[in-house]
Amino acid sequence: MSKPIVIPQTARFVEPLVLKSGATVSSYELVYETYGTLNADKSNAILVCHALSGNHHVAGYHTEHDKYPGWWDNMIGPGKPIDTERFFVIGLNNLGGCHGSTGPSSIDPETGKPYGARFPLVTVDDWVETQARLADRLDIRQFAAIVGGSLGGMQVLQWTITHPERVRHALVIAAAPKLTAQNIAFNDVARQAILTDPEYHGGDYYAHGVVPRRGLRIARMLGHLTYLSDDVMGSKFGRVLRGGSYNYGYGVEFEIESYLRYQGDKFADSFDANTYLLMTKALDYFDPPHAHQHASLSQTMATARAKFLVISFSTDWRFSPSRSREIVKALLDNNLDVSYGEITATHGHDAFLMDDAHYHKLVRAYMANVKTGEHQ
Amino acid sequence: MSKPIVIPQTARFVEPLVLKSGATVSSYELVYETYGTLNADKSNAILVCHALSGNHHVAGYHTEHDKYPGWWDNMIGPGKPIDTERFFVIGLNNLGGCHGSTGPSSIDPETGKPYGARFPLVTVDDWVETQARLADRLDIRQFAAIVGGSLGGMQVLQWTITHPERVRHALVIAAAPKLTAQNIAFNDVARQAILTDPEYHGGDYYAHGVVPRRGLRIARMLGHLTYLSDDVMGSKFGRVLRGGSYNYGYGVEFEIESYLRYQGDKFADSFDANTYLLMTKALDYFDPPHAHQHASLSQTMATARAKFLVISFSTDWRFSPSRSREIVKALLDNNLDVSYGEITATHGHDAFLMDDAHYHKLVRAYMANVKTGEHQ
């Protein structure tokens, strides 16, 4: 059977974008992919927002030779919970990314060199604005649904605040209304590992022909470790030794070390450190009441009009179920239509990417009630 | 009121020590402090075992000018829960340490240079052996109690296995019977930060006149963050901003960042990176059933004769109460005399160092029943 091939597309925007920071991006590109077919009245569009290390390649394959499909291929495709036989799904790489959209590693047309440290920090608000512009470009006035996990879920939440009339359904998965001090602390340790890497060069490492690989590797090892639950690490790796006995040295001894170092190496070879820094700051900054000068999330959500599906995972200690319940409470305070599912899953925060039967059944059932065309 | 002054002492050992790794340390020194007075029949001695970053300076002050006392001064002293008016308390710096006992930063008499990478890895078993030799030197045949928190608690547990006849009471606080994969993973991220620091120089950084400061700083930030609970970080720091508003840059923005970076800096200026690496490996290796070729902790504890006080703290997610309950179960399986206290505390793993009324009351009450002299 041949693989479903998807071709990334690029949208160029020349209208200057004023960011929340006050900085302006004079022009930029967003790379995106689409799956399925937009219907006649453009009422079946779904936007997928990605998390920290995600990108536009949500489903399918780029070539017949690709070993792995897009990062959410188990969720999105023909006959899948988000069914591309019914829906027209859009995945994009966010502004500041390193997979094709304009970001710190892109060439600044003003200098002919990579932006590096000159690329401004962006926020979830800014991403929603760029995503809205992409929707305008595709002539999509209202999304049937906007979907995202983790940092992606925060973008979904922000959409319902900024553009309430443009979102019929919001799927907020494994998210939090804002980071805690502990969440910020984990991000800051990761950032400090990159920022203090001698090869970071103040963000302009491109000019030196190096990358802050050591720092990025540590950042990823730490991140990855926190996305998994203690349980799943215990059952997958436990205290199993690579060589069967202690070596009394600093090489790999435990299987978990081998796994984490491999994850760190792989990531450090493929991801841009400046993008990683920028994404973690977007996470830290996300705080809708703060951004909208409201006292509480309930007050901030008062203008939302979407129907919501909120999902959390029992062993997710990064954004635990209690964080999702804060969101649910704020929505209920505003008499919004909310479904909430707390999935018993062993995989921790990463559960939102896993092919879990209960979880997928819940999304499938919810999506079956998302109306399109003349039935909406 | 003048401060209680304590003078560190040094014991030199010239009998070669064969370590669990098979390596031999031909001679070594242990620095230690004592508080209180050893009674006539030497039945009131208490040994305090330190944790990852601890040392021999447990209580009192070294000089009148010292700003802070020893690390467990709230627990140990005249009239305190471990009362030095009744007990003779010994604190030592473990072999491999960097506060006076022989360790990687000490001068190797064979080369006249710091040991560096040539210093062998040591285990909890090895520490117990060196502590037993120190006890012999002080003519203490049996301890009234051996006490320790975290990695210190593991040493206490090991004492009751290796030298059951030399421990009347064992106080095992905020410990675990062995690390989980997640625990090991946190240690390995910290180690990788140090090992990949360009200034680590394979462990022989002393010869280069540098220290792997960046790596050690990251290791400490990460460690410190995991010793605190999400709750206490939330109540102490929350999302409070240093400057009141977002700066959209990578400098300090949140108070938690300022705090953690300060902790990292302070530690990196005062602790030896090789010792940090070595201590984390001792943690990883600790696994009494593995070391003693038994199937379970219960089987391993079968020879223990001490009475036990096991204490855990509700918000300690590094060594959670469930880990202490594993220890308690293994002790009860052997019909040993066990008291167990699960303290409701906000401070996470670090709670074992805090001046918590309930916790101190429990230790005080337990210690009141530790008999000495003719009453034991």
Side-chain angles (χ1 to χ4, degrees), chain A residues 104-132:
Chain A
S105 56
S106 307
I107 300 296
D108 178 353
E110 287 181 30
T111 64
K113 292 174 187 165
Y115 284 96
R118 297 182 64 240
F119 198 87
L121 293 197
V122 295
T123 64
V124 168
D125 268 279
D126 296 327
W127 282 333
V128 167
E129 182 55 28
T130 57
Q131 290 160 0

Side-chain angles (χ1 to χ4, degrees), chain A residues 235-253:
Chain A
S235 61
K236 271 179 84 168
F237 305 105
R239 294 180 52 87
V240 175
L241 292 161
R242 273 239 117 167
S245 63
Y246 294 158
N247 298 329
Y248 300 101
Y250 296 125
V252 166
E253 293 203 282

Side-chain angles (χ1 to χ4, degrees), chain A residues 127-159:
Chain A
W127 282 333
V128 167
E129 182 55 28
T130 57
Q131 290 160 0
R133 288 187 180 188
L134 179 63
D136 293 344
R137 182 69 58 88
L138 300 176
D139 207 15
I140 295 162
R141 184 63 211 142
Q142 185 187 63
F143 284 103
I146 304 185
V147 186
S150 190
L151 176 56
M154 293 172 168
Q155 294 161 55
V156 177
L157 207 56
Q158 190 60 53
W159 261 98

Side-chain angles (χ1 to χ4, degrees), chain A residues 121 179 182 188 191-192 196 214 217 230 239 246 248-250 253 257 261 278 281 284-285, chain B residues 121 179 182 188 191-192 196 214 217 230 239 246 248-250 253 257 261 278 281 284-285:
Chain A
L121 293 197
L179 297 199
Q182 188 190 62
D188 199 48
R191 280 193 296 267
Q192 287 295 307
T196 63
R214 297 182 192 91
R217 177 172 174 272
D230 194 10
R239 294 180 52 87
Y246 294 158
Y248 300 101
Y250 296 125
E253 293 203 282
E257 297 175 318
R261 293 184 199 181
L278 173 154
K281 285 303 265 189
D284 289 4
Y285 289 145
Chain B
L121 293 196
L179 297 199
Q182 188 190 62
D188 199 49
R191 279 193 295 266
Q192 287 295 307
T196 64
R214 296 182 193 93
R217 178 172 173 271
D230 194 11
R239 295 181 50 88
Y246 295 157
Y248 300 102
Y250 296 124
E253 293 204 283
E257 296 175 318
R261 293 183 200 182
L278 173 154
K281 284 305 263 190
D284 290 4
Y285 290 144

Side-chain angles (χ1 to χ4, degrees), chain B residues 45-259:
Chain B
I46 290 182
L47 176 68
V48 177
C49 302
H50 71 71
L52 202 154
S53 60
N55 55 43
H56 56 289
H57 188 32
V58 175
Y61 297 80
H62 284 157
T63 75
E64 282 289 342
H65 310 293
D66 285 5
K67 200 168 166 189
Y68 301 106
W71 58 269
W72 220 0
D73 191 77
N74 61 30
M75 180 68 89
I76 294 160
K80 293 183 181 173
I82 296 177
D83 187 352
T84 52
E85 289 174 355
R86 279 191 67 214
F87 295 106
F88 174 69
V89 176
I90 304 165
L92 86 158
N93 185 212
N94 277 340
L95 183 70
C98 57
H99 290 97
S101 291
T102 301
S105 56
S106 306
I107 300 297
D108 179 352
E110 287 181 27
T111 64
K113 293 175 186 168
Y115 286 95
R118 297 182 64 238
F119 199 87
L121 293 196
V122 295
T123 64
V124 168
D125 268 279
D126 296 327
W127 283 333
V128 167
E129 182 56 28
T130 57
Q131 290 160 1
R133 288 187 181 189
L134 179 63
D136 293 344
R137 182 69 57 89
L138 299 176
D139 207 16
I140 294 162
R141 184 63 212 144
Q142 184 187 63
F143 284 103
I146 303 184
V147 186
S150 190
L151 176 56
M154 293 171 168
Q155 294 161 57
V156 178
L157 208 56
Q158 189 61 53
W159 261 98
T160 68
I161 299 166
T162 314
H163 298 294
E165 74 294 350
R166 299 190 74 170
V167 196
R168 289 208 301 283
H169 294 270
L171 280 71
V172 179
I173 305 172
K178 62 186 172 192
L179 297 199
T180 63
Q182 188 190 62
N183 294 147
I184 295 170
F186 275 117
N187 281 345
D188 199 49
V189 175
R191 279 193 295 266
Q192 287 295 307
I194 295 169
L195 293 167
T196 64
D197 186 319
E199 300 195 314
Y200 179 64
H201 295 291
D204 292 318
Y205 45 87
Y206 317 99
H208 294 78
V210 294
V211 291
R213 197 182 180 287
R214 296 182 193 93
L216 186 55
R217 178 172 173 271
I218 296 298
R220 180 57 170 186
M221 288 178 71
L222 175 56
H224 198 86
L225 142 62
T226 67
Y227 305 148
L228 299 176
S229 69
D230 194 11
D231 284 0
V232 79
M233 289 175 100
S235 60
K236 272 178 86 168
F237 305 104
R239 295 181 50 88
V240 175
L241 292 161
R242 273 241 116 165
S245 63
Y246 295 157
N247 298 330
Y248 300 102
Y250 296 124
V252 166
E253 293 204 283
F254 294 92
E255 287 288 356
I256 180 65
E257 296 175 318
S258 170
Y259 171 78

